[in-house]
Amino acid sequence: GRIDGDVFAVLIPMAEDGEAEDYCRRVQNACLAYEDAVLAPSVAVGIVYKTNVEEHLLDKISDAEYEMFDNKLEIKNSPGYQERLKKGLNI
């Protein structure tokens, strides 16, 4: 669901090992594979696990947002990112 602006949360109850990572990888790969003359979508992700009933969901969402910002920097510094943006801007 939408948390704020363009920030969304996907909760996977009792996720198995690698399930969240696989889901995020598929979403990011779909963005990379999308071909359009103008649009160059990208999605930054942050994955955290709630492993204890004492942990508060809002704290985990905050942790995931921090992880997402790290991933966003990785994406922006990755090879080809600037080219994809320029293609969409017709530069």
Side-chain angles (χ1 to χ4, degrees), residues 2-88:
R2 181 179 295 232
I3 293 176
D4 182 31
D6 63 350
V7 178
F8 295 84
V10 176
L11 303 178
I12 304 174
M14 299 177 66
E16 297 190 17
D17 285 344
E19 185 177 357
E21 290 83 359
D22 181 55
Y23 178 82
C24 291
R25 189 174 22 263
R26 286 185 287 132
V27 170
Q28 288 181 316
N29 286 340
C31 286
L32 287 173
Y34 187 82
E35 293 288 332
D36 187 84
V38 178
L39 186 62
S42 68
V43 174
V45 299
I47 300 170
V48 295
Y49 291 92
K50 185 174 184 252
T51 58
N52 177 324
V53 294
E54 301 294 321
E55 295 174 315
H56 295 280
L57 186 57
L58 289 177
D59 292 336
K60 297 313 259 178
I61 289 173
S62 177
D63 293 345
E65 192 170 16
Y66 180 79
E67 294 294 323
M68 182 265 316
F69 284 122
D70 278 349
N71 184 242
K72 185 181 251 185
L73 286 175
E74 264 182 54
I75 290 169
K76 286 185 175 184
N77 292 319
S78 68
Y81 178 77
Q82 294 295 325
E83 290 76 17
R84 285 188 79 221
L85 288 182
K86 288 177 184 175
K87 178 182 171 189

